[in-house]
């Protein structure tokens, strides 16, 4: 049996929201992004780098009427919707990638 590429295995292992329910799931070329809800009703953003497994969890997710979720962690804000994942630092875009699915 041929072994799977490491990034694929890594992404499969860390998919979803540990100890929480997935409310929304997004995927870009580089990241998996989730809007999660804890069992006590709190929402958080979870971003996972598909190549190296680096993760970030940011509590207190807010949403807009247009279906965009955002979470702020200090100077960084993580924005995600069905079209794109965007990260801003102090209001300036430092990363943006289209959502694949």
């Amino acid at each position: 049996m041929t072994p799977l590429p490491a990034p694929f295995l890594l992404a499969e292992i860390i998919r979803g929201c540990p100890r929480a329910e997935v409310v929304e799931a997004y995927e870009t070329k580089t990241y998996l992004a989730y809007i999660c809800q804890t069992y006590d009703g709190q929402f958080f953003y979870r971003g996972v780098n598909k190549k190296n497994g680096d993760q970030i969890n940011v509590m207190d997710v807010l949403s807009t009427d247009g279906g965009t979720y955002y979470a702020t962690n200090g100077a960084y804000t993580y924005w995600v919707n069905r079209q794109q994942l965007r990260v801003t630092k102090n209001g300036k875009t430092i990363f943006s990638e289209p959502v694949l699915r």
Side-chain angles (χ1 to χ4, degrees):
M1 185 169 172
T2 305
L4 296 172
F8 177 80
L9 288 174
L10 188 60
E12 287 304 310
I13 292 169
I14 54 182
R15 214 172 265 283
C17 300
R19 298 179 301 281
E21 180 180 338
V22 175
V23 175
E24 295 283 347
Y26 307 92
E27 183 175 0
T28 71
K29 179 180 175 185
T30 310
Y31 289 93
L32 300 171
Y34 301 97
I35 303 302
C36 308
Q37 185 175 16
T38 64
Y39 296 110
D40 64 356
Q42 292 184 321
F43 290 89
F44 67 95
Y45 166 85
R46 180 169 187 249
V48 180
N49 184 308
K50 294 181 349 184
K51 293 179 180 153
N52 63 19
D54 285 352
Q55 303 175 48
I56 186 158
N57 294 298
V58 181
M59 297 304 291
D60 299 324
V61 170
L62 301 173
S63 63
T64 67
D65 290 338
T68 298
Y69 294 92
Y70 63 98
T72 301
N73 182 21
Y76 296 89
T77 301
Y78 302 84
W79 304 80
V80 67
N81 59 32
R82 297 213 178 273
Q83 288 76 43
Q84 75 170 350
L85 169 64
R86 181 169 52 115
V87 181
T88 60
K89 182 178 181 184
N90 296 320
K92 295 185 180 191
T93 300
I94 60 169
F95 176 85
S96 181
E97 243 179 22
V99 167
L100 303 174
R101 55 183 169 133

